[in-house]
Amino acid sequence: MAADALSIIPGAVLRNLSDKLYEKRKNAALEIEGIVKQLATAGEHDKISAVISLLTTEFTYSPQANHRKQGGLIGLAAVTVGLTSEAAQHLEQIVPPVLASFQDQDSRVRYYACEALYNIAKVVRGDFIIYFNKIFDALCKLSADSDANVQSAAHLLDRLVKDIVTESDQFSIEEFIPLLRERMNVLNPYVRQFLVGWITVLDSVPDIDMLGFLPDFLDGLFNMLSDSSHEIRQQADAALSEFLQEIKNSPNVDYGRMAEILVRRAGSTDEFTRLTSITWINEFVKLGGEQLVPYYADILGAILPCISDEEEKIRVVARETNEELRAIKADPTEGFDIGAILSIAKRELNSEHEATRIEALHWFSTLLSRYRVEFLAYLNDIFDPLLNALSDPSDAVVLLVLEVHACIAEESHHFHHLVSYLIRTFHDNHVLLEKRGALIVRRLCVLLGAEKVYREFSTILESEIDLDFASVMVQALNLILLTSTELGELRSLLKKSLVDSCGKDLFQSLYASWRHSPMATISLCLLAQAYSHASCVIQSMGEDDINVKFLVQLDKLIRLLETPVFTYLRLQLLEPGKHTWLLKTLYGLLMLLPQQSVAFKILRTRLKTVPFSENLRRTSSANPYSQILQVTEDGNRNQDTQNYSAINFPSLLQQFENMQQQHRNHLKGQLQSRKSASAATLLQEIQRYEEAHSSSLSEISRPPSRTSKGIS
């Protein structure tokens, strides 16, 4: 066949085809073009094949660079031009050698290969499509060629190929997409520009449905948003914006696969990528409807961290998306996975950002209110994390946690569990009790009812084995009771303890644990207007009970007596004859206070204002204590004891004294333990001292040996 070709093409033409001079090469190519044209007209395609084989063998695949770049490639292009409309039947011989030249180590060969294929493509146009995938692969590599001239030639060829593809009805997008997907994660900036260019061009063709294949290359486009090149970022963003607009206008979109990609990209370290992905998620939530139900948990997992993003734009879009998602009322029977949503919310409770933790709690509240039965089925998994959240450093978080717990606590056993946990937590963390105790208890009282909360606290504390903690906890609850506006109704009910059965039950319920603290017991009696019992409690106290802690509590109570909460008590002092036991109680407290203390002066000043009658003033020589004794004798005028038969106060006093005896024994045991520990430590020190000096003492006391010389 080579011999046939040599007979067809003169030797001089073949020599000129690889000549260094451009004019000679050009003329040789024109002669080959003319020869092929004559052969084509004559229908002698076998001879044309022989010419192509000669050019391929002797030139294109020649070991000599000049033959490859200047002979074979120019010759193959000339053959194609000569064939014109009949070139399609010889493309199988023409195109593969040209494509192989794209991988040549000589940049000039690669350059002429681009030029040759450009000329071939101009002739065959649509018939060229059958080689598109191979040509695309070659162009992708050439776009990042190390030689600038080759890159320029490749760009020209690329534009022509794009024109051919856009006008062809034979282009297969299904075959092209895998080729595109494989290259979307390439990092080379030239390749990235090449790929985005093709995506944009193909998307502009009405007959090509690029949107349907968007999930295949969406992740790659998002990956380009963080490219170091501003131009690539802009091109990728423009392509994504166009696709998002198409999604808004399209009735059929595969939201699910793309949602998975967006969720991953929402956690990107690149700010622009996060903003773009969260913007897409926002649109998906608005448009996706039921398609997105299986992906709600994943979407929520992407949104919640973005709510606390450093970039304000991201925070705004994330909050809007979160509200949109929470507004959707999905049906658990139709694939809505409440457990998965709860798992995400539970995870975000540990977020370092307050805003994210708050939104996670809003999700707990929403799910609990809408799907209570389903929510409670997962309670074992989330109850402990919700309890732990009560120790959150943010007050706003704690208040929301309490709202969730209050909703859960509609069932009595959950309520008991909650209060038990709070007591256990306060026991282990006294700082939390000091700083957050009032906030937590007050909010629970608002949400669940003060009486219910205080009764439960009292019931559990009644059997508390740590007496020191029980005393501290009761004192804290008592202070909240005396100072919080939220507990006003509870105080009003306690004031009726002597005349109302509900007040009586509440008084006795609280008394069961309040007896851990003498001052809390006295305060409770003052609220209940059980002044006679308060006086008996004071009288029952011994010298061991009057310590620094007690005096601090007493100081607080005296100051509280001057607050609006005890206005009724101060007004009762206007009628000392009716409230003798009140006077006796207050004077009893006065007697327990150090005379130099501020509290002593406050209470004494208040008692000096009590309006004793003139009769009593004259008979008592202005001695207030004798006035009390005289008023006490008029039992008919004393209202304090009218309803005492309703409550068994002697029994309560006995319970109080028994509890205080337990506290005294406990305190003595602690002191004894400390003394024993100190004595043991001292004994160990003595033993160590003796051991350290025993050797030196034995040396001093040992008599001199017989062999030693004495002093003469």
Side-chain angles (χ1 to χ4, degrees):
M1 187 173 286
D4 292 341
L6 288 172
S7 65
I8 298 169
I9 302 175
V13 172
L14 293 175
R15 286 193 298 272
N16 288 338
L17 197 59
S18 58
D19 196 278
K20 293 182 179 180
L21 294 175
Y22 173 73
E23 286 299 323
K24 288 186 177 182
R25 296 197 305 272
K26 179 181 177 182
N27 291 331
L30 289 173
E31 287 191 41
I32 291 175
E33 179 183 331
I35 293 170
V36 170
K37 190 174 295 184
Q38 291 175 2
L39 293 172
T41 302
E44 297 187 75
H45 287 282
D46 289 342
K47 291 183 179 181
I48 294 173
S49 295
V51 171
I52 296 171
S53 296
L54 174 66
L55 293 173
T56 301
T57 306
E58 298 298 325
F59 290 90
T60 307
Y61 293 141
S62 171
Q64 296 182 35
N66 282 342
H67 281 203
R68 295 197 306 274
K69 65 188 177 186
Q70 297 169 354
L73 292 170
I74 293 176
L76 290 173
V79 169
T80 307
V81 173
L83 284 168
T84 59
S85 61
E86 297 183 60
Q89 59 185 298
H90 293 283
L91 286 180
E92 288 186 9
Q93 281 183 282
I94 295 171
V95 174
V98 179
L99 291 175
S101 299
F102 284 139
Q103 301 178 25
D104 199 285
Q105 294 183 352
D106 191 327
S107 62
R108 296 296 292 168
V109 174
R110 298 195 300 274
Y111 174 83
Y112 282 110
C114 291
E115 185 181 76
L117 195 58
Y118 182 89
N119 292 324
I120 294 168
K122 276 183 24 177
V123 174
V124 298
R125 303 297 291 186
D127 294 328
F128 192 64
I129 293 298
I130 61 173
Y131 294 100
F132 173 78
N133 284 1
K134 293 180 179 179
I135 293 169
F136 179 85
D137 181 56
L139 287 173
C140 186
K141 295 173 182 176
L142 291 174
S143 65
D145 199 279
S146 57
D147 189 280
N149 291 326
V150 176
Q151 282 192 20
S152 298
H155 290 161
L156 286 173
L157 176 59
D158 181 51
R159 284 200 290 270
L160 177 60
V161 175
K162 285 175 181 172
D163 290 340
I164 293 171
V165 167
T166 55
E167 66 187 26
S168 172
D169 57 358
Q170 298 179 16
F171 177 73
S172 173
I173 185 66
E174 291 81 6
E175 294 180 10
F176 168 70
I177 288 298
L179 203 65
L180 176 65
R181 184 174 57 237
E182 289 173 6
R183 290 157 177 76
M184 286 304 293
N185 290 321
V186 174
L187 299 179
N188 187 285
Y190 298 108
V191 175
R192 283 185 162 184
Q193 283 184 309
F194 171 79
L195 295 173
V196 175
W198 269 99
I199 290 171
T200 304
V201 166
L202 292 177
D203 187 47
S204 67
V205 180
D207 294 335
I208 296 178
D209 180 23
M210 284 295 281
L211 184 60
F213 295 95
L214 181 57
D216 290 288
F217 56 87
L218 180 65
D219 189 62
L221 281 175
F222 268 93
N223 197 28
M224 294 180 191
L225 292 175
S226 58
D227 195 279
S228 57
S229 168
H230 178 69
E231 186 177 355
I232 293 174
R233 292 199 302 273
Q234 277 191 323
Q235 290 177 353
D237 182 46
L240 286 168
S241 298
E242 183 62 32
F243 278 118
L244 185 58
Q245 191 59 45
E246 291 177 28
I247 289 171
K248 293 179 183 178
N249 300 327
S250 175
N252 299 313
V253 178
D254 183 3
Y255 289 101
R257 285 179 61 197
M258 290 189 284
E260 295 177 355
I261 296 168
L262 297 175
V263 166
R264 288 198 306 271
R265 290 297 171 181
S268 170
T269 56
D270 178 68
E271 179 183 300
F272 188 45
T273 304
R274 290 200 308 278
L275 176 59
T276 306
S277 59
I278 205 73
T279 301
W280 274 61
I281 290 174
N282 179 271
E283 294 296 337
F284 275 30
V285 170
K286 295 176 182 176
L287 301 169
E290 295 181 357
Q291 282 194 49
L292 285 178
V293 169
Y295 302 95
Y296 276 2
D298 294 333
I299 291 173
L300 181 63
I303 292 171
L304 290 179
C306 288
I307 286 174
S308 303
D309 199 278
E310 294 179 357
E311 174 58 41
E312 183 181 2
K313 291 180 181 178
I314 296 176
R315 294 198 302 271
V316 170
V317 178
R319 285 188 178 279
E320 179 185 332
T321 309
N322 185 52
E323 294 303 320
E324 291 278 353
L325 191 63
R326 197 159 58 225
I328 299 173
K329 296 182 179 179
D331 190 343
T333 62
E334 297 179 359
F336 180 59
D337 192 345
I338 293 177
I341 296 284
L342 288 173
S343 179
I344 294 295
K346 181 177 73 171
R347 183 189 73 192
E348 295 306 326
L349 277 181
N350 296 320
S351 169
E352 60 181 322
H353 302 290
E354 177 184 343
T356 295
R357 299 197 301 275
I358 287 175
E359 290 305 320
L361 287 166
H362 281 312
W363 271 97
F364 278 115
S365 297
T366 300
L367 294 175
L368 183 56
S369 61
R370 289 183 189 167
Y371 316 103
R372 183 175 184 85
V373 174
E374 293 82 0
F375 181 99
L376 293 178
Y378 295 97
L379 193 59
N380 289 337
D381 296 328
I382 60 176
F383 198 66
D384 285 343
L386 280 172
L387 290 173
N388 294 335
L390 289 170
S391 301
D392 195 278
S394 165
D395 286 351
V397 171
V398 172
L399 292 175
L400 279 173
V401 173
L402 288 171
E403 288 185 14
V404 175
H405 277 299
C407 195
I408 295 173
E410 290 179 10
E411 283 82 5
S412 59
H413 60 286
H414 293 319
F415 174 63
H416 176 78
H417 190 179
L418 170 62
V419 178
S420 297
Y421 174 84
L422 282 174
I423 291 175
R424 188 168 68 252
T425 302
F426 289 146
H427 177 276
D428 298 335
N429 190 347
H430 282 220
V431 175
L432 181 67
L433 174 60
E434 182 181 342
K435 293 184 176 180
R436 286 283 180 74
L439 174 70
I440 292 173
V441 173
R442 288 166 57 190
R443 189 60 184 164
L444 275 182
C445 288
V446 171
L447 295 169
L448 296 171
E451 182 177 353
K452 178 181 179 181
V453 170
Y454 262 70
R455 281 180 180 272
E456 189 68 24
F457 268 112
S458 182
T459 300
I460 297 173
L461 287 171
E462 182 181 356
S463 56
E464 174 62 47
I465 59 175
D466 186 340
L467 298 180
D468 290 334
F469 167 72
S471 178
V472 171
M473 189 69 209
V474 164
Q475 290 166 14
L477 290 171
N478 183 65
L479 185 61
I480 297 168
L481 175 63
L482 297 178
T483 58
S484 300
T485 55
E486 295 89 344
L487 276 71
E489 292 185 6
L490 192 65
R491 291 193 294 269
S492 297
L493 183 58
L494 282 170
K495 290 176 187 176
K496 303 174 184 177
S497 298
L498 303 182
V499 295
D500 181 86
S501 60
C502 294
K504 166 196 166 184
D505 290 342
L506 176 61
F507 175 82
Q508 291 178 319
S509 174
L510 297 186
Y511 194 97
S513 60
W514 256 238
R515 57 199 173 101
H516 278 289
S517 167
M519 197 47 56
T521 304
I522 295 169
S523 302
L524 183 64
C525 292
L526 292 178
L527 276 178
Q529 303 185 69
Y531 303 133
S532 176
H533 187 67
S535 178
C536 293
V537 169
I538 294 171
Q539 294 288 339
S540 71
M541 299 184 67
E543 62 177 279
D544 293 339
D545 302 319
I546 314 300
N547 50 37
V548 174
K549 291 182 180 179
F550 174 85
L551 292 175
V552 169
Q553 293 297 315
L554 179 54
D555 182 276
K556 289 181 181 179
L557 176 60
I558 299 305
R559 295 174 189 273
L560 285 171
L561 291 176
E562 298 297 318
T563 64
V565 171
F566 284 104
T567 299
Y568 71 93
L569 183 148
R570 298 195 299 274
L571 290 175
Q572 288 174 349
L573 292 175
L574 294 173
E575 300 178 287
K578 291 183 179 180
H579 304 286
T580 310
W581 287 108
L582 170 59
L583 280 170
K584 191 169 184 180
T585 298
L586 294 179
Y587 272 108
L589 295 177
L590 187 69
M591 294 301 104
L592 298 178
L593 286 165
Q595 293 189 37
Q596 300 302 317
S597 65
V598 175
F600 180 89
K601 295 173 183 177
I602 292 173
L603 183 55
R604 184 179 62 178
T605 301
R606 172 61 63 187
L607 290 172
K608 282 182 178 179
T609 63
V610 175
F612 291 108
S613 66
E614 288 300 319
N615 249 358
L616 294 173
R617 289 185 185 281
R618 286 195 296 271
T619 58
S620 62
S621 303
N623 185 336
Y625 307 108
S626 61
Q627 292 171 12
I628 294 173
L629 292 173
Q630 291 187 40
V631 172
T632 306
E633 292 173 0
D634 189 359
N636 293 330
R637 295 167 59 192
N638 186 359
Q639 295 181 351
D640 292 350
T641 57
Q642 287 180 359
N643 297 283
Y644 267 39
S645 59
I647 300 175
N648 188 351
F649 281 106
S651 175
L652 292 182
L653 182 61
Q654 185 62 48
Q655 294 174 27
F656 171 79
E657 290 177 344
N658 292 340
M659 180 58 71
Q660 290 308 303
Q661 188 58 49
Q662 291 182 39
H663 277 272
R664 293 185 196 107
N665 294 338
H666 175 66
L667 181 59
K668 288 179 181 178
Q670 286 183 324
L671 292 174
Q672 187 61 42
S673 297
R674 290 172 190 165
K675 288 179 180 178
S676 299
S678 299
T681 302
L682 180 60
L683 182 60
Q684 290 174 358
E685 290 294 330
I686 292 173
Q687 288 175 345
R688 282 197 292 269
Y689 178 83
E690 290 178 346
E691 290 172 0
H693 293 79
S694 60
S695 58
S696 58
L697 288 172
S698 61
E699 287 295 331
I700 295 172
S701 60
R702 184 185 301 145
S705 62
R706 293 182 180 179
T707 57
S708 62
K709 295 182 180 180
I711 300 175
S712 56

